């Protein structure tokens, strides 16, 4: 087979507002968002510009996150009593949003651009696909894939996150869909799957900058990603459909991720697109780049 063709230029995958989410405004190192019926203010250092809306509009927020360090930890301030969790949806996937101690709300809205791509790719495959979702967190991508007709193996090292993902499957009415929910260290799981000779039609690889496995394993993106991604390429079936690699580290780029996949997918042919995931304000005038991706398709 030929070498994979790497796209000459990056792609900006931009997530626009949907019924349960919108980026309302941004600036001065913050973003003003809508999650269902609630307005939320969160830090975002990349918002170097001046907000368009008035301080009074920003002051109507129901929740504001105050960071305490540079590792996303901090605490929330609420302007009124707030529920511990509240349901949101994207397509058929329903999920509980929560005010976590790490500034996000138990999902990453910019990933909706990837969810839309996964939904279309799986529905148009013409056959059932078997998907592996590593670092699957609260399971929205897994539920999108299951709703589109795929079988899914969802792997995350956090028991709490996997329990939340199972809850999300129940409220999505997908608790009887063919999804395996596994509390596992991603690298150890993939190593075992390679030894077993198992393969997948699609792999979603969305690692954090740093993490710990369920028995104390340490994950560091720059040290561990090359080996893990190489193992993942061994798990791709001969007629596999795709591999998506996403990363949030500030020192990485879509070009770097595409180079890594091109090196590890030699001989498989196909195409590698790469670029950035962004949130687009609902007025369409500003975008915030939040993560980088590379995506191989057969």
């Amino acid at each position: 087979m030929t070498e994979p063709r790497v796209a000459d230029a990056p792609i900006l995958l931009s997530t626009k507002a949907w019924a349960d989410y919108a980026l309302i405004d941004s600036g001065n190192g913050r973003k003003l968002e809508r999650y269902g019926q609630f307005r939320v203010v969160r830090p975002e250092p990349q918002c170097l510009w001046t907000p368009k809306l008035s301080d009074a509009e920003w002051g109507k927020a129901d929740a504001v996150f105050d960071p305490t360090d540079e590792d996303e930890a901090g605490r929330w301030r609420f302007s009124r009593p707030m529920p511990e969790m509240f349901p949101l949806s994207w397509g058929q996937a329903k999920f509980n949003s929560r005010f976590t101690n790490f500034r996000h709300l138990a999902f990453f809205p910019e990933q909706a651009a990837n969810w839309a791509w996964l939904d279309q790719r799986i529905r148009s495959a013409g056959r059932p696909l078997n998907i592996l979702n590593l670092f699957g967190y609260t399971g929205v991508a897994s539920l999108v894939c299951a709703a589109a007709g795929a079988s899914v193996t969802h792997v995350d090292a956090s028991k709490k996150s996997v329990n939340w993902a199972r809850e999300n499957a129940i409220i999505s009415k997908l608790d009887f869909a063919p999804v395996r929910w596994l509390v596992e260290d991603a690298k150890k799981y993939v190593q075992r799957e390679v030894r077993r000779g198992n393969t997948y039609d699609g792999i979603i690889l969305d690692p954090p900058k740093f993490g710990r496995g369920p028995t104390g394993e340490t994950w560091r993106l720059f040290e561990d990603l090359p080996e893990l991604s190489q193992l993942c390429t061994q798990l791709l079936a001969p007629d596999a459909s795709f591999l998506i690699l996403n990363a949030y580290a500030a020192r990485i780029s879509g070009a770097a991720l595409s180079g890594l996949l091109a090196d590890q997918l030699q001989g498989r042919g196909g195409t590698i697109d790469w670029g950035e995931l962004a949130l687009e304000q609902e007025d369409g005038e500003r975008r915030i780049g939040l993560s980088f991706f590379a995506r191989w398709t057969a």
Side-chain angles (χ1 to χ4, degrees):
M1 297 181 67
T2 60
E3 304 304 306
R5 185 187 69 82
V6 178
D8 294 330
I11 297 172
L12 182 67
L13 295 179
S14 190
T15 290
K16 302 178 186 296
W18 74 86
D20 277 346
Y21 175 81
L23 175 61
I24 301 170
D25 194 18
S26 58
N28 291 344
R30 301 186 303 166
K31 54 193 174 193
L32 174 63
E33 301 165 288
R34 174 179 55 77
Y35 289 82
Q37 61 179 308
F38 302 119
R39 283 191 168 201
V40 175
V41 173
R42 297 192 293 157
E44 186 50 66
Q46 295 190 68
C47 299
L48 305 173
W49 45 83
T50 302
K52 292 194 170 185
L53 297 181
S54 67
D55 290 345
E57 282 297 311
W58 281 71
K60 295 177 182 178
D62 300 290
V64 177
F65 187 86
D66 296 321
T68 55
D69 58 35
E70 295 181 356
D71 293 324
E72 300 192 339
R75 55 181 59 90
W76 290 94
R77 286 186 289 114
F78 302 110
S79 62
R80 59 176 167 132
M82 299 289 283
E84 179 183 346
M85 60 186 181
F86 51 96
L88 303 176
S89 64
W90 186 94
Q92 192 176 336
K94 293 180 172 58
F95 45 95
N96 283 320
S97 191
R98 308 165 192 258
F99 295 99
T100 74
N101 293 329
F102 295 94
R103 85 178 59 191
H104 52 78
L105 281 84
F107 77 104
F108 299 96
E110 67 274 9
Q111 286 292 329
N114 272 335
W115 303 338
W117 186 89
L118 287 164
D119 180 77
Q120 188 278 331
R121 185 79 180 180
I122 292 167
R123 292 182 188 277
S124 63
R127 60 187 175 97
L129 298 184
N130 183 25
I131 307 301
L132 174 62
N133 185 10
L134 295 171
F135 306 96
Y137 193 39
T138 56
V140 183
S142 295
L143 296 174
V144 168
C145 292
S151 299
V152 184
T153 299
H154 173 106
V155 179
D156 197 278
S158 167
K159 183 177 181 180
K160 178 188 287 187
S161 294
V162 173
N163 286 340
W164 287 355
R166 287 177 177 271
E167 292 174 8
N168 290 338
I170 292 171
I171 65 174
S172 298
K173 298 183 178 179
L174 290 167
D175 44 322
F176 293 106
V179 182
R180 293 194 302 156
W181 306 102
L182 303 179
V183 180
E184 288 265 15
D185 176 75
K187 187 161 71 170
K188 285 185 175 180
Y189 177 78
V190 168
Q191 288 170 336
R192 289 202 307 274
E193 288 291 88
V194 170
R195 290 196 297 269
R196 292 165 179 157
N198 291 335
T199 59
Y200 296 86
D201 301 307
I203 297 176
I204 305 165
L205 181 53
D206 190 15
K209 292 179 289 186
F210 177 83
R212 292 197 182 277
T215 57
E217 303 90 345
T218 300
W219 166 267
R220 292 182 175 85
L221 183 71
F222 289 96
E223 290 84 350
D224 296 318
L225 181 59
E227 179 185 359
L228 180 60
S229 56
Q230 197 279 330
L231 289 166
C232 285
T233 63
Q234 296 180 50
L235 291 182
L236 290 169
D239 58 347
S241 177
F242 66 85
L243 188 156
I244 295 176
L245 172 58
N246 189 75
Y248 287 86
R251 292 188 294 120
I252 209 158
S253 67
L257 298 177
S258 70
L260 177 63
L261 290 189
D263 179 59
Q264 297 177 341
L265 288 162
Q266 293 182 34
R268 287 205 68 118
T271 300
I272 297 174
D273 294 314
W274 57 279
E276 193 169 0
L277 286 176
L279 285 174
E280 181 177 314
Q281 281 186 196
E282 57 185 349
D283 62 11
E285 294 188 14
R286 286 172 171 166
R287 295 175 180 84
I288 308 171
L290 292 173
S291 71
F292 298 99
F293 78 93
R295 182 178 65 203
W296 172 80
T297 51

